[in-house]
Amino acid sequence: MPDSKRDIVNQAMVHLGEPTIPSLSDLTHRAQVANAMYDPTRRALLSEIKWRFATHTQSLAQRAATPDNTRWTYAYALPT
């Protein structure tokens, strides 16, 4: 299993018969294109699958008071 974005990109490069890249921050055209395309391609591929864990929504009850040590304006109770 690949451990990083670079590993995933390099696996794709091998499948395409292209040379691998040492880093996504390289100034080579190949690395710049891979870096620009990685996130949009990942989002597109993930949106094609109907994930079972993400099929239900639930309204959360807003808490009356927020904790003192927080940067958030609102707090919500966990669902049962």
Side-chain angles (χ1 to χ4, degrees), residues 5-7 9-10 20-28 30-32 34-35:
K5 286 182 179 183
R6 183 188 57 88
D7 292 341
V9 167
N10 281 334
T20 59
I21 57 174
S23 170
L24 288 173
S25 60
D26 272 4
L27 298 178
T28 63
R30 181 176 285 108
Q32 290 174 344
N35 195 38

Side-chain angles (χ1 to χ4, degrees), residues 20-74:
T20 59
I21 57 174
S23 170
L24 288 173
S25 60
D26 272 4
L27 298 178
T28 63
H29 178 70
R30 181 176 285 108
Q32 290 174 344
V33 170
N35 195 38
M37 295 303 299
Y38 181 86
D39 286 326
T41 302
R42 180 183 55 85
R43 281 193 301 273
L45 289 171
L46 289 173
S47 69
E48 289 181 9
I49 298 170
K50 188 170 183 166
W51 299 99
R52 290 187 299 149
F53 69 87
T55 58
H56 301 310
T57 60
Q58 185 174 0
S59 295
L60 300 177
Q62 185 174 345
R63 290 184 172 181
T66 59
D68 292 335
N69 301 342
T70 183
R71 64 178 188 219
W72 310 112
T73 306
Y74 303 102

